[in-house]
Amino acid sequence: MLKFGLSILAWMHFLRLKEHPFGILYFHRVLKQAEPFCPDDWTENQFEQLVAVLSKQFNILPISEALELQRRDQLPAKTLCLSFDDGYQDNATLAAPILEKYGVRGSFFVATEGTERGYLWNDELAYFLGEGFVNTSKPESIAFEGTEYNLKSVEHRSVVYLDLVGKLKVLPNNQRDQGLESIKSQLGATQHPPRCMMTTKQLQSLQDNGHDIGAHTHSHSILSYQSSNTARSEMTQSINYLNQVLDKPVTLFAYPNGWVGRDFTIEHERLLEELGLEYGVATNDGGVTTKTRKTAIPRFMPYRKQLDQFCLSAMKIMGET
């Protein structure tokens, strides 16, 4: 029944659009087990169950291959791409082996400061409120922007982490970093968190195995909240770094947070083209057709977790243009 339902939706999309659209899902981490600091991420078991079903129902391709087939008018119906943002090490150790087990390849977007030093700014915050909390002065509360935060339990600290990340990520980089330092000072945090981001060797291995590697700014900076010079630097550093460590040049870019018109603007799309990249991906719902603006390609994540409904929802969304 699922295959029939998906085929009907694919046929309806083709009749309306006069071409086959494709969809791009986006993920972040794939975890050994559920973690309160990452409430929206998939566990290893959940992710494998999902890929097992998707690989039977869809033609799963890397984004670069889907775009090229679409350009040549050779894109098969029911094409779906799986993308991963930020560059976490579990993408290489857990996600990629599952993809390869089912004969599919993904697209991985990397915030390169994480590759360089092993973690991003938000990972510092997660570590010092999470597993590294025992290594701090263990205060019962901290304050930020006039709000006092209760740190008495892991549950409290995970809520605090998500709230603080939401506030810090929409600041200019210098204010974000100053805010993080203030929080670390209140926590008495002195150690560095352990590496949680992929190494250059892992990125090279992914590319060698047929996966896409794309840029995602240097420090995971939301471009619309930065000056033009900072935004340019964030994009340039990320692209140049990857081009130096990979055999194949970068052709794809993912905008952090990724909402068109809010998190990036036409200015950043033009800058992307100026830097030599043709494709930029966002996080707005919808499918990709030949008419899609290639510097603002939609990606989405169905909210339905029941797998048949997830597949039907993905197919429905990819027909929205």
Side-chain angles (χ1 to χ4, degrees), residues 117-161:
R117 66 174 185 167
Y119 53 87
L120 295 170
W121 65 268
N122 55 291
D123 301 312
E124 290 189 84
L125 186 60
Y127 177 71
F128 291 119
L129 288 171
E131 62 181 287
F133 190 70
V134 295
N135 298 322
T136 72
S137 60
K138 291 192 279 190
E140 292 190 352
S141 67
I142 56 172
F144 183 72
E145 292 187 340
T147 300
E148 186 165 347
Y149 293 95
N150 182 347
L151 306 180
K152 291 182 180 179
S153 69
V154 172
E155 290 73 22
H156 283 110
R157 296 197 300 275
S158 64
V159 173
V160 170
Y161 165 74

Side-chain angles (χ1 to χ4, degrees), residues 3-16 21 78 311-317 319:
K3 187 176 290 291
F4 178 73
L6 293 173
S7 295
I8 290 295
L9 285 172
W11 177 73
M12 292 172 64
H13 294 337
F14 185 79
L15 285 180
R16 182 170 55 86
K78 298 189 288 185
C311 292
L312 291 167
S313 181
M315 179 59 77
K316 178 178 179 298
I317 293 170

Side-chain angles (χ1 to χ4, degrees), residues 2 6 53 302-317:
L2 176 59
L6 293 173
V53 172
Y303 72 91
R304 306 294 291 268
K305 295 301 183 184
Q306 199 279 331
L307 295 180
D308 283 4
Q309 293 300 316
F310 185 101
C311 292
L312 291 167
S313 181
M315 179 59 77
K316 178 178 179 298
I317 293 170

